[in-house]
Amino acid sequence: MGGSARGFTAVDISICSAITAKDRTALSHYRNLYFVAHGSEIHVYKPHFPSQSLQSDKVFKLHLPQSAPGLTGYINPDYPHAVNHLAIGDLGNAEALVCACDDGDVIAYFTRSIARALEKWETDSACTSSMAADTHPFFQKNVGASAWGIAMHKAARILAISANTHQISVFAFALGSGSSPDGDSSGGPADVSQTTDRPLGSSVGFHQPDTTSRAVPDRSQNREIVLSGHDTNVPNITFCNNEDDPDGRYLISIDIHGVIVIWQIWEGIWRKFGTHDICKVYGIPQSHEASGWSVLCLDPRSFRPAKTDLEFLGCRPQPIGPPGDVKGAIIRSEDSTNLHPISRPKPADSGRSPSTGYQRSRAPISEVIEEYEEEEVEDSANQEDLTPFGRDISPQLSISFRMHRTSNPAEPNECPFLLFSTTNHDLLLWSPTLSNPGAFLRASQTQHIPEPYTFLRHFERLNMSAQIPELGILIVAAQTGRVAILTLTRTKAVERYCAFRTDWIVPFRSQEKEGKRPAVPLLGIAVGPIQGHLLPEEGVREDSPGSGERVSGKQRRWRLMLTYFDQSVLSYEIGRASGTGADGDDGGAILVF
């Protein structure tokens, strides 16, 4: 499949902060719109079908307003209003684009408003400016410090933001009369009021405030809740966004020390987990790191049935612990390599970009592949000698069947979701009740990085992730530039154990050998349906070129767009081969073009 991958194109991007960047690109799921954060602006593109190429000579720009003058930033004082994180999601029937800025501002637009302004801008012959001056956000709020994590709940119409205050601000938009939390009412939420509920506190473990009601509160007015429970910065948060939680009760957060908190926001309850503690419960050998970057809620119904260990885990596991307890195997993904395709340039060919602070080479990055291929074969026979920055790092998958059943009535045995979390190098799939086997993938995308490119080690973090529930797919990116495409799997037995397997890593090894992978960090990943496969939205019509007729979920193809710091964009199409698996599920393999 690697030979037919989409090409790359240059876009006009300048980077204000690189070291701690989170995802700063997004794709609409309802319209052919691609968003890229550019300092304190959002650049809006309409990718061309089928290449997904972008027009860069005339760009529609959103200038993000500031909530107050004189706000200061955390990452770069010269760019206090720069975007840290860009995310897209649904609030009721309306799709929203949300920007989290370094000065603490949070700004949100409805994509339908952006689409209307873009159409007017494109058809107005008198328009000579590329500025979108008449597009206004429906929501703007400052959360007190640099804003990072963004989560949206569709049915309950709730927006949550994490910040460097170590707190999470939850904005529950009022549901109009006659409407319900399922989002059936028309229109979108109004501006959030200043009403603030009492913070839940900061104790470790379960916390149950003395409240008289545990029901969802009155939603006829806007509510703002502040959650306090972390001791450090919180880069990522997520809701349980499925039909089992229509009220938005569950919110999950992860901090940079690897502490994960499961909040039941309306009941005033939470539970804390440390990444090391999770590994200890499952009997998994602990990593040397305790960082935390990304967390996702997974619907158990999105997991695909597997008949064999190979389908279940993507490998033939060997016992590495007590019998029936832990299994593991070395993973080698098709068309990928564990050696970074960076050439060693001559001193005159190296330079430092003044806008980003990272080094880049002008030499073709494919030159180093041939040099390292023989070494890779030799080193693969000595896996036990590998270190996190050794010559070759091979991913190792482990699955633990140690499970925990609590006798504490305050500690639930059932939960409507599984959790997927990441550290700098590792992937973890686990149950909030610790009642499902845990799956752990060590060094999932780690590559050897040669001198003089050790600056890239600052970007060795798995800080970007997305999921496609209808295809049972997870997408996890390392900021060094590699992206893993995983299938969520489960056993067919009565006890349905869940895990995942690595199907693809992009850019493909063949692309790296051809010099198509930029030798710079990743700015963002964006996932959305391709043209003609866009999701249906009430009252919306998609007339973009190549749109065609809409298709159902099992037939729908998606696009993955990788944007790098050097302005390159690599794009891929993702789908499943036709065929029906067990339980009536689409059992086809993942196709990546």
Side-chain angles (χ1 to χ4, degrees), residues 114-127:
I114 297 174
R116 284 196 294 263
L118 175 59
E119 182 179 2
K120 178 181 178 182
W121 176 75
E122 289 177 325
T123 57
D124 188 352
S125 59
C127 178

Side-chain angles (χ1 to χ4, degrees), residues 154-176:
K154 175 181 173 65
R157 290 194 283 183
I158 304 174
L159 170 64
I161 303 293
S162 64
N164 282 5
T165 57
H166 309 166
Q167 296 177 323
I168 302 167
S169 297
V170 180
F171 304 102
F173 298 111
L175 300 174

Side-chain angles (χ1 to χ4, degrees), residues 480-493:
T480 49
R482 301 183 90 202
V483 181
I485 301 173
L486 315 174
T487 289
L488 299 173
T489 59
R490 60 174 172 82
T491 59
K492 293 176 61 180

Side-chain angles (χ1 to χ4, degrees), residues 258-576:
V259 174
I260 298 165
V261 180
I262 301 175
W263 310 85
Q264 291 175 254
I265 59 176
W266 301 125
E267 288 85 352
I269 301 172
W270 72 73
R271 190 181 184 195
K272 274 189 177 182
F273 299 84
T275 298
H276 284 329
D277 297 330
I278 297 169
C279 292
K280 184 176 180 180
V281 168
Y282 280 115
I284 298 295
Q286 297 186 30
S287 173
H288 66 284
E289 58 174 312
S291 58
W293 288 105
S294 184
V295 65
L296 290 172
C297 273
L298 304 180
D299 188 336
R301 288 162 293 201
S302 64
F303 286 70
R304 302 281 163 152
K307 300 177 182 178
T308 66
D309 283 347
L310 189 59
E311 290 183 4
F312 186 47
L313 302 174
C315 61
R316 291 183 172 87
Q318 300 296 324
I320 59 173
D325 181 23
V326 179
K327 295 182 178 180
I330 299 298
I331 303 293
R332 286 194 179 275
S333 301
E334 183 178 352
D335 198 12
S336 70
T337 175
N338 297 324
L339 298 170
H340 197 291
I342 299 182
S343 61
R344 294 181 174 90
K346 298 177 182 179
D349 289 333
S350 295
R352 182 171 295 274
S353 168
S355 62
T356 64
Y358 64 83
Q359 292 180 331
R360 53 181 299 185
S361 167
R362 298 185 181 91
I365 63 175
S366 60
E367 293 177 0
V368 77
I369 291 293
E370 300 296 336
E371 175 186 349
Y372 285 156
E373 278 186 333
E374 292 185 3
E375 298 178 13
E376 180 183 15
V377 173
E378 177 182 349
D379 292 335
S380 63
N382 300 300
Q383 299 295 335
E384 67 276 6
D385 297 330
L386 300 180
T387 63
F389 298 112
R391 184 167 297 282
D392 185 19
I393 307 296
S394 291
Q396 180 171 341
L397 178 68
S398 300
I399 181 166
S400 169
F401 289 92
R402 296 186 187 180
M403 291 175 284
H404 167 71
R405 289 285 180 178
T406 180
S407 58
N408 181 357
E411 187 177 341
N413 266 319
E414 300 297 331
C415 199
F417 55 86
L418 297 176
L419 286 176
F420 181 85
S421 55
T422 69
T423 67
N424 281 351
H425 303 96
D426 304 336
L427 311 180
L428 298 85
L429 172 67
W430 53 287
S431 166
T433 60
L434 305 180
S435 58
N436 185 80
F440 302 81
L441 183 59
R442 301 293 192 201
S444 65
Q445 286 133 272
T446 304
Q447 286 182 313
H448 168 65
I449 300 176
E451 296 288 351
Y453 296 93
T454 53
F455 72 94
L456 278 176
R457 295 179 185 174
H458 295 291
F459 298 89
E460 284 203 322
R461 56 175 68 96
L462 300 169
N463 63 341
M464 305 177 196
S465 59
Q467 59 176 312
I468 308 176
E470 68 183 39
L471 297 182
I473 288 175
L474 273 181
I475 298 171
V476 184
Q479 201 173 356
T480 49
R482 301 183 90 202
V483 181
I485 301 173
L486 315 174
T487 289
L488 299 173
T489 59
R490 60 174 172 82
T491 59
K492 293 176 61 180
V494 176
E495 292 280 354
R496 290 190 169 184
Y497 299 142
C498 295
F500 59 87
R501 69 170 186 261
T502 303
D503 283 334
W504 295 95
I505 291 181
V506 294
F508 301 116
R509 179 176 186 157
S510 54
Q511 290 181 290
E512 293 181 341
K513 291 184 69 173
E514 294 169 3
K516 292 183 177 180
R517 174 182 169 186
V520 294
L522 194 62
L523 176 68
I525 64 171
V527 179
I530 65 169
Q531 299 92 328
H533 293 231
L534 297 166
L535 302 183
E537 185 181 40
E538 183 179 354
V540 174
R541 180 180 177 184
E542 178 58 47
D543 295 318
S544 61
S547 61
E549 184 179 353
R550 297 186 187 275
V551 297
S552 65
K554 290 185 178 180
Q555 300 172 314
R556 186 177 289 118
R557 287 188 181 272
W558 292 67
R559 49 186 163 174
L560 167 64
M561 300 180 70
L562 316 182
T563 303
Y564 290 84
F565 278 20
D566 70 347
Q567 308 177 27
S568 297
V569 179
L570 287 169
S571 62
Y572 303 85
E573 290 183 17
I574 302 175
R576 283 200 180 273

